[in-house]
Amino acid sequence: GQQVMQIPQYQHVQEGEDFTTYCNSSTTLSNIQWYKQRPGGHPVFLIQLVKSGEVKKQKRLTFQFGEAKKNSSLHITATQTTDVGTYFCAGRGRGADGLTFGKGTHLIIQP
Amino acid sequence: GAVVSQHPSWVICKSGTSVKIECRSLDFQATTMFWYRQFPKQSLMLMATSNEGSKATYEQGVEKDKFLINHASLTLSTLTVTSAHPEDSSFYICSASGSGRLADTQYFGPGTRLTVL
């Protein structure tokens, strides 16, 4: 079945440093979504990427979808303490109803 | 908009009892609902997908007789953990998607923490 791998599992950064998490799928995706889960909270939708090579920005967050639609990345510029949490990518295969989630990247920020 | 609620938010039960968890879409019609479980510091594991009025589709390895899912209306889905055992203790999260602009996004409920003694 479809597998979605996400790295790194944990990332410690100093406040103000940049952060990137990477997501790779074993199969071509119809779209990929990114979610953020704060400690003790539930996942919150951030964005969906659909087109090959697509790049979207939300303030300090930049999302990319690979040309082959099998990989994606989330980059945060100049991290802040409010960015703490786990970032999940979730890929939807062709014709699939549900999303396959990556294991998530836990972002820990040291002030 | 697109708010999903879950009830209860936490439950503690004795081994062998059954527990029902409700998932409601409060301000939209949820044509599809999803049930996940999440272990501490781990990812979401999809258990099943349900469409209103039809039987749920379970993921491989998920026992449909143990995790009963009912999606009787466009705003309510329930997950019943039958004869719960300690290994069923987990965080259960539902999500819902609608139609139109709500079709491509899953809106998550706050989750239910189940502890089986």
Side-chain angles (χ1 to χ4, degrees):
Chain A
Q2 181 178 295
Q3 292 183 346
V4 175
M5 292 147 285
Q6 196 173 348
I7 57 169
Q9 188 176 357
Y10 292 91
Q11 184 73 61
H12 292 77
V13 300
Q14 295 283 339
E15 188 176 6
E17 291 182 339
D18 293 354
F19 158 77
T20 305
T21 173
Y22 301 91
C23 191
N24 288 286
S25 169
S26 58
T27 59
T28 302
L29 302 170
S30 61
N31 64 60
I32 195 160
Q33 300 179 1
W34 286 90
Y35 292 80
K36 177 183 179 180
Q37 186 175 20
R38 291 181 183 275
H42 62 279
V44 174
F45 174 79
L46 293 177
I47 208 162
Q48 175 176 276
L49 304 172
V50 179
K51 298 177 183 177
S52 169
E54 189 171 12
V55 178
K56 286 188 176 179
K57 291 189 175 184
Q58 290 179 350
K59 297 183 180 178
R60 294 178 295 105
L61 277 61
T62 302
F63 303 85
Q64 292 188 330
F65 200 11
E67 294 289 342
K69 301 183 74 172
K70 294 179 73 173
N71 57 70
S72 181
S73 65
L74 158 60
H75 179 81
I76 302 178
T77 304
T79 55
Q80 301 174 358
T81 54
T82 53
D83 296 326
V84 164
T86 303
Y87 293 85
F88 292 99
C89 63
R92 190 189 306 276
R94 292 172 180 170
D97 288 333
L99 294 170
T100 301
F101 279 79
K103 292 189 181 296
T105 296
H106 303 268
L107 175 59
I108 298 114
I109 297 176
Q110 295 153 342
Chain B
V3 178
V4 175
S5 70
Q6 263 182 261
H7 178 80
S9 55
W10 58 270
V11 57
I12 301 172
C13 69
K14 292 182 178 180
S15 185
T17 61
S18 294
V19 175
K20 180 185 282 189
I21 302 170
E22 292 186 349
C23 177
R24 292 181 186 272
S25 57
L26 299 184
D27 52 1
F28 69 102
Q29 293 186 327
T31 51
T32 307
M33 284 187 168
F34 306 86
W35 286 95
Y36 296 84
R37 66 186 297 182
Q38 185 178 35
F39 292 103
K41 295 187 178 182
Q42 293 192 26
S43 188
L44 296 152
M45 186 195 81
L46 179 65
M47 298 175 67
T49 303
S50 73
N51 293 296
E52 183 264 338
S54 58
K55 289 184 179 180
T57 302
Y58 289 81
E59 295 298 303
Q60 194 172 8
V62 178
E63 299 174 59
K64 60 182 180 182
D65 293 331
K66 181 168 184 63
F67 298 99
L68 301 177
I69 292 172
N70 184 289
H71 191 166
S73 78
L74 283 171
T75 59
L76 173 64
S77 176
T78 60
L79 166 67
T80 302
V81 184
T82 61
S83 187
H85 292 285
E87 58 265 29
D88 298 323
S89 298
S90 188
F91 192 49
Y92 292 88
I93 309 177
C94 72
S95 69
S97 61
S99 57
R101 67 175 181 84
L102 299 178
D104 289 329
T105 302
Q106 291 188 22
Y107 299 93
F108 283 82
T112 297
R113 188 162 302 284
L114 169 64
T115 302
V116 185
L117 302 176

